[in-house]
Amino acid sequence: MNAAKSLGSSFGTYTTQARGLIPLLVLVLLVGGSSLFAPSMLSVGGLSSFFTDAAPLLILVVGSTLPILAGSIDLSVAGIAALVGVLTVFLHPIFGPWATPIVLVGALLFGALQGYVHAKLQLPSFITTLATLSILTGLALLLSNATALPIPDDDSLISWISGSVGPVPNSIIVVVCATIVLAAVLRYTRFGRDLYALGAGERTAIMSGVNTTRVRCLVFALSAFCAGIGGVLLSSITGFSSPTIAGNLLLLSIVGVVLGGTAISGGVGGLGSALVGGVITAWLRVITVMVGVTPTTQNIVFGVMALIAVMLTTDRAKIGIVK
């Protein structure tokens, strides 16, 4: 009996590990296949350009993974990213080069407030963040007068991010460092354990002494902070801020999360696999453009991919009745 249990446990562990390697295998096959008709993408210059363009999406994927691991979802990330860029320009005459760090701290605090409202008032995260997405987008349009605004030349942080260390863009260095730090937090702190416990089952987490309100505040704060970094990365690429600059990244960020194997029902997944899922999404976006797929058709493709990925990763036994 004990031997059977041990064998079953080992098989479950190996199955989980194999499932975690699937996104990486998909990425390898995708890159290998696309290199047959676009070999220039694998050159040093091609990869450098790719990761520069992909960096904003990748950091949004990393940030969006955290609420989904907790069994929630954050739809406000595109609005935060756009508003951060607008506020950086809007507040620059007052704070000078400190405007960008101050705005990022503001994004962090806003995310914490959003998590508090979601947890304390027991409002569904979908509705809470959808409402704040509308509010933030409207505020960005109002402050910018619905026009693109140039980034000040003396913004040292954005200037540094737009540079590179040899062929490696500074923007992707920021993404990798942020991912490593957050992954270490999830792996070695109580917050990480509580986050996975909350995603696996809220009632069980509460009975185990998890402060679910505090966890949700931290989760949404970190998600908003990553979205703010995404806004800064977008500004560093384009050289201007726009209230609609991140509008097309919301769906792609969710697709990246689920393609990385993170269960939309929560409790399963990780930031490393999410980063791989983000790279897959960004690579597919480039490939679809190269083969002549229009932006409208791209939305159809990624929408179908999101449905399939959610279907494959949802734990229906935990959710029970899906409404």
Side-chain angles (χ1 to χ4, degrees):
M1 180 70 71
N2 291 335
K5 287 183 178 179
S6 177
L7 181 61
S9 176
S10 299
F11 179 76
T13 301
Y14 290 138
T15 301
T16 301
Q17 292 174 348
R19 185 182 302 171
L21 293 175
I22 290 176
L24 185 59
L25 177 62
V26 170
L27 177 60
V28 172
L29 293 175
L30 180 64
V31 172
S34 60
S35 66
L36 297 177
F37 63 90
S40 61
M41 286 191 64
L42 296 183
S43 65
V44 174
L47 289 175
S48 179
S49 298
F50 167 76
F51 281 111
T52 298
D53 295 335
L57 173 59
L58 296 181
I59 195 65
L60 288 182
V61 169
V62 169
S64 298
T65 301
L66 298 173
I68 292 178
L69 283 174
S72 302
I73 193 167
D74 188 357
L75 300 179
S76 67
V77 292
I80 293 173
L83 184 58
V84 162
V86 171
L87 285 176
T88 297
V89 176
F90 188 77
L91 296 178
H92 187 268
I94 302 174
F95 298 106
W98 288 99
T100 300
I102 289 173
V103 172
L104 288 176
V105 172
L108 181 76
L109 296 176
F110 173 81
L113 176 61
Q114 185 170 238
Y116 182 82
V117 170
H118 158 50
K120 205 67 177 178
L121 300 183
Q122 289 295 292
L123 295 176
S125 59
F126 178 87
I127 297 299
T128 303
T129 57
L130 184 63
T132 53
L133 171 64
S134 179
I135 293 169
L136 295 171
T137 303
L139 186 58
L141 287 167
L142 180 65
L143 291 177
S144 65
N145 200 24
T147 59
L149 305 172
I151 300 297
D153 295 332
D154 61 342
D155 192 313
S156 55
L157 180 59
I158 293 181
S159 297
W160 178 81
I161 291 175
S162 63
S164 63
V165 178
V168 181
N170 289 338
S171 55
I172 203 64
I173 294 176
V174 171
V175 173
V176 171
C177 289
T179 304
I180 291 173
V181 170
L182 290 175
V185 169
L186 295 187
R187 181 78 172 92
Y188 298 109
T189 67
R190 177 175 177 175
F191 165 68
R193 295 188 293 272
D194 288 350
L195 171 60
Y196 278 97
L198 177 59
E202 183 167 358
R203 291 185 179 180
T204 304
I206 292 173
M207 293 175 63
S208 301
V210 174
N211 187 332
T212 57
T213 299
R214 181 179 64 185
V215 171
R216 284 202 168 96
C217 286
L218 288 172
V219 161
F220 280 88
L222 292 173
S223 176
F225 186 69
C226 288
I229 295 175
V232 173
L233 296 179
L234 283 169
S235 297
S236 71
I237 294 171
T238 62
F240 63 87
S241 65
S242 169
T244 59
I245 196 171
N248 65 333
L249 295 183
L250 176 57
L251 174 61
L252 294 177
S253 64
I254 297 174
V255 170
V257 174
V258 292
L259 283 182
T262 298
I264 202 72
S265 49
V268 176
L271 297 184
S273 57
L275 191 61
V276 173
V279 175
I280 293 173
T281 306
W283 197 274
L284 283 172
R285 185 171 62 161
V286 174
I287 294 301
T288 53
V289 171
M290 293 181 66
V291 298
V293 178
T294 63
T296 304
T297 309
Q298 271 190 25
N299 290 335
I300 297 174
V301 172
F302 285 114
V304 172
M305 289 174 58
L307 288 174
I308 295 174
V310 169
M311 179 181 66
L312 294 176
T313 60
T314 300
D315 185 355
R316 292 166 183 80
K318 183 179 71 175
I319 295 178
I321 298 175
V322 179
K323 299 182 179 179

